[in-house]
Amino acid sequence: MSIDSTGDRQKITFCSILEKNMGKRGVLMMNIGTPDEPTTESVRTYLREFLLDPDVIDIPAPLRHLLVRGIILRTRPKKIAPRYESIWMEEGSPLRVYTQRMTKALESSIDDIRCEVGMRYGNPSIRSGLEKLKESGVDELLLAPLFPHHAQATTESSLKHAHKQLKAMNWKPSILELPHFPSDPAFIEPLANSIRPHLSDGTHLLFSYHGLPISHVKRSDSSGNHCQKADHCCSIGVEGNAMCYAHHCMLTTLSVVGALGLDELDWSISYQSRLGPAKWLQPSTTKVVENLAENGKTKVVIVSPAFLADGLETLEELNIEIREHFIAHGGQELTVVNCLNDDPNWIKGLGHLVENAFSKPMPTS
């Protein structure tokens, strides 16, 4: 009996050590954020946090506060709140609902992993997501920005804020970061599959990406002599634009076009959601659909691959405003492809991206 007891104790000790060495994995799924309610005050609270981030509006702080507090927050919330209300779901904001569904589906698809949502702005916050992961015993943490294309205002801001909160919590798990994935088959295949059923003879496919100020794009050019200087700079992969948002958008576009076998005249690329007087990436989605309609393209399908979860930019801006603009200029049929959300094919692809990130050597400290 004593020998068996000792053996059991040794087995338990060995298993405990093995389990400790393996670690408990956790993923913080970071998205941009959303107001808590479709009201003027809630939208104002959200926009205040969002637009005062120097990674979003990167001008000197006094000017940023003057622009945001003195101009934007006085007028924009009242205009945007009804737009949020028009797409609000019974469970809440679509972006939050779909991000949470995606997170739950991912957690269910991978053994022994804990996943939490952390919004860069609004709720549930990055801090609350990290606290839940810490409380569940996670010691191998993957910070996963849900942005296929790297940008200062999304990926960088989210990661920077997550590290800031980790420091404030004095929590030091082993940390990995999910890299951008603009042309990874795990992303491209489910994206192309989501588009394919909507295409038919005479259909024009428009890739509409979230806009970005030219200043942000130029800053990502590590060489200083490529962005906006070389012909077709976004289509050419060089060391200088390895972290360029516009280049990443073009990588996604060309990958999907190749997967779908589209001819050059069957697709276009544009940028939406412009804000403020700064010079932004061109052409604008509004202008492109206008030109398509006036040039006899009666059927247009729009996909917005910068967004993994549907929200205001897809459900309202594209599906309502841009559709109305297209029809007003002579178009007949405009279809907006749903974001990948919790589509099973995408969850499988996302699982591959996550597992691949965890397969890399964990930091020693």
Side-chain angles (χ1 to χ4, degrees), residues 187-199 205 207 256 259-260 301-305 307-308 310 335-341 343-346:
F187 170 54
I188 296 301
E189 289 178 11
L191 179 60
N193 288 338
S194 73
I195 299 168
R196 190 174 284 108
H198 301 284
L199 302 180
L205 178 60
F207 294 83
V256 172
L260 295 174
V301 171
I302 300 183
V303 63
S304 195
F307 305 99
L308 295 176
D310 276 307
T335 301
V336 178
V337 180
N338 291 337
C339 290
L340 292 174
N341 297 321
D343 178 273
N345 290 326
W346 163 233

Side-chain angles (χ1 to χ4, degrees), residues 142-359:
L142 176 64
L143 300 176
L146 296 178
F147 314 110
H149 319 99
H150 182 275
Q152 170 186 323
T154 53
T155 311
E156 285 189 28
S157 181
S158 297
L159 290 172
K160 186 185 301 183
H161 191 68
H163 282 286
K164 179 181 178 181
Q165 296 306 314
L166 284 164
K167 184 177 180 180
M169 293 166 60
N170 195 30
W171 184 30
K172 300 178 181 180
S174 296
I175 300 172
L176 290 169
E177 296 176 358
L178 184 70
H180 50 269
F181 46 92
S183 57
D184 195 300
F187 170 54
I188 296 301
E189 289 178 11
L191 179 60
N193 288 338
S194 73
I195 299 168
R196 190 174 284 108
H198 301 284
L199 302 180
S200 60
D201 291 341
T203 299
H204 190 88
L205 178 60
L206 176 60
F207 294 83
S208 179
Y209 294 90
H210 196 288
L212 203 66
I214 292 294
S215 61
H216 285 215
V217 181
K218 286 186 174 181
R219 194 174 296 113
S220 68
D221 180 4
S222 61
S223 68
N225 58 15
H226 180 77
C227 182
Q228 305 292 305
K229 296 179 181 179
D231 291 338
H232 307 292
C233 61
C234 297
S235 301
I236 305 170
V238 297
E239 185 178 350
N241 67 1
M243 302 299 283
C244 174
Y245 174 80
H247 174 56
H248 290 175
C249 291
M250 185 58 72
L251 285 176
T252 294
T253 300
L254 295 178
S255 296
V256 172
V257 165
L260 295 174
L262 298 179
D263 292 333
E264 186 176 352
L265 297 178
D266 291 336
W267 62 272
S268 303
I269 187 172
S270 64
Y271 297 92
Q272 63 184 91
S273 309
R274 175 174 173 166
L275 174 66
K279 187 176 180 180
W280 283 54
L281 288 169
Q282 296 288 344
S284 73
T285 298
T286 301
K287 190 62 178 177
V288 170
V289 298
E290 180 179 319
N291 290 340
L292 287 172
E294 292 177 349
N295 289 327
K297 295 292 184 181
T298 58
K299 296 192 297 182
V300 169
V301 171
I302 300 183
V303 63
S304 195
F307 305 99
L308 295 176
D310 276 307
L312 186 72
E313 292 84 355
T314 56
L315 299 175
E316 198 280 335
E317 183 179 359
L318 292 179
N319 210 28
I320 298 177
E321 291 186 26
I322 293 299
R323 170 182 278 105
E324 291 176 352
H325 191 76
F326 177 65
I327 293 174
H329 284 81
Q332 296 179 8
E333 182 181 335
L334 186 145
T335 301
V336 178
V337 180
N338 291 337
C339 290
L340 292 174
N341 297 321
D342 58 343
D343 178 273
N345 290 326
W346 163 233
I347 297 304
K348 182 179 179 180
L350 179 58
H352 175 79
L353 294 173
V354 167
E355 290 283 20
N356 188 53
F358 272 118
S359 70

Side-chain angles (χ1 to χ4, degrees), residues 89-108:
M89 301 170 67
E90 185 175 345
E91 305 102 304
S93 167
L95 183 74
R96 183 185 297 116
V97 171
Y98 289 124
T99 301
Q100 289 173 331
R101 290 180 184 177
M102 191 190 310
T103 301
K104 290 180 180 178
L106 176 66
E107 186 176 71
S108 298

Side-chain angles (χ1 to χ4, degrees), residues 109-166:
S109 70
I110 302 177
D111 293 335
D112 302 320
I113 200 167
R114 179 68 183 271
C115 302
E116 293 289 347
V117 174
M119 297 294 186
R120 175 61 185 91
Y121 316 101
N123 297 304
S125 67
I126 284 177
R127 177 62 175 262
S128 69
L130 288 172
E131 288 177 343
K132 289 179 181 178
L133 291 171
K134 181 181 180 181
E135 289 170 3
S136 67
V138 165
D139 53 16
E140 294 182 5
L141 174 65
L142 176 64
L143 300 176
L146 296 178
F147 314 110
H149 319 99
H150 182 275
Q152 170 186 323
T154 53
T155 311
E156 285 189 28
S157 181
S158 297
L159 290 172
K160 186 185 301 183
H161 191 68
H163 282 286
K164 179 181 178 181
Q165 296 306 314
L166 284 164

